[in-house]
Amino acid sequence: MRLHMGSRLAAVAITAVTALLAVGQTASAARAGGESKPFLGPLHTVSTVASTVPANGDLNPYGTALVDKSTGNLQRGNVLVSNFNNAANEQGTGTTLVQVSPKGQATLFAQIDPNNLPGPCPGGVGLTTALSILPGGWVVVGSLPTTDGTSATAQAGCLLVLDSRGKVRETFSGQGINGPWDMAAESRGDCTDLFVTNVLNGTVAAGGNVVRKGTVLRIALHTDDKRPPTRVSTTVIGSGFAEKTDPAALVIGPTGVGLRGSTLYVADTVDNRITAIPEALTRRTSAGTGRVVTAGQNLNSPLGLAIAPNSNILTTNGGDGNIVETTPGGKQVAVRTLDTSGDPAGAGALFGLVATAHPDRVFFVDDATNTLNLLSRP
């Protein structure tokens, strides 16, 4: 999300830097209702895993996805990262996906040519936080493209589907896809549901004013290990989310999503809250913005969202460098500081994240340093 990072990049040492975080404090240990201990409780150490800048110089890592099965060029346990900016730091122009091993080896997974796509993607390619890996190694990544890095030229984009060797095989566009910003996926047999937030519904025309037209789509796919997924249906399950253009962030709107059971949690960035859409797997109508789970307190423009192994909700703040853990019942039970750079401290540094068990840890991208980092036990 940060724009002017050039002077800072030269100072970044791409080495493992470990810091014990004294600022992040676990919330009260006494919790009613039999809730599990905070997932973030024992996690206090931040270290750099690797740079996410590939040979073409793309910047601003946004999306993260954990590889849970080795297929093609995808290696189990690695983290796939999407870049939103090009080497000139223009937003909505990044074309690369980088694969990073937990030991710090970074390799180029794909560099997408906007002029050589197998289907329509209105506006071109600017890879967003919307990133998932489906059964068979199919990678789906969102594109919210611009021609010059400004919101004035932002266009609808698409979802790009790549095979496990990094080749784009198809695109999904239209039918409500309009600035796909983040995504979660749920697979069952040969069926996959993609939950996609969209942030360009009337946003550009509003010229920086807030419009409440952001949506969440459920896109049903038929999946096959050997053939690209087929889109079966698209349903609007969430609507009316606040969204607006922003000179530093390009656009702000509903961002991270995560499914727990049949409930989809949404990071409602502009309104500084987390909401819940019930019956997300089966509902046929929009739930609006859903039920408010929690708002304010430690939240500060929540962006990335993931469900922790203990079923709590993890969100990264866009307004500071903190990660916040919230129970499904709405209690904010833990906070950790991941980035203190810049002014305000940590603002604009965090976006996508992945939480894993055995061992407990959180991988997250840092836009201030263009790195994949790790939050783990000391």
Side-chain angles (χ1 to χ4, degrees), residues 120-155:
C121 192
V125 175
L127 302 184
T128 68
T129 323
L131 179 62
S132 294
I133 303 173
L134 312 186
W138 297 101
V139 174
V140 184
V141 61
S143 174
L144 192 166
T146 73
T147 59
D148 59 3
T150 69
S151 58
T153 63
Q155 296 192 45

Side-chain angles (χ1 to χ4, degrees), residues 90-182:
E90 294 174 332
Q91 298 190 93
T93 56
T95 61
T96 53
L97 292 160
V98 177
Q99 185 175 190
V100 182
S101 76
K103 294 184 178 181
Q105 181 180 3
T107 57
L108 180 69
F109 176 74
Q111 183 169 344
I112 300 169
D113 182 358
N115 300 312
N116 188 27
L117 298 176
C121 192
V125 175
L127 302 184
T128 68
T129 323
L131 179 62
S132 294
I133 303 173
L134 312 186
W138 297 101
V139 174
V140 184
V141 61
S143 174
L144 192 166
T146 73
T147 59
D148 59 3
T150 69
S151 58
T153 63
Q155 296 192 45
C158 67
L159 299 179
L160 299 153
V161 181
L162 297 81
D163 61 26
S164 61
R165 298 193 180 280
K167 180 180 179 180
V168 181
R169 298 287 297 277
E170 66 180 341
T171 65
F172 297 137
S173 62
Q175 298 184 42
I177 296 174
N178 191 8
W181 202 226
D182 209 334

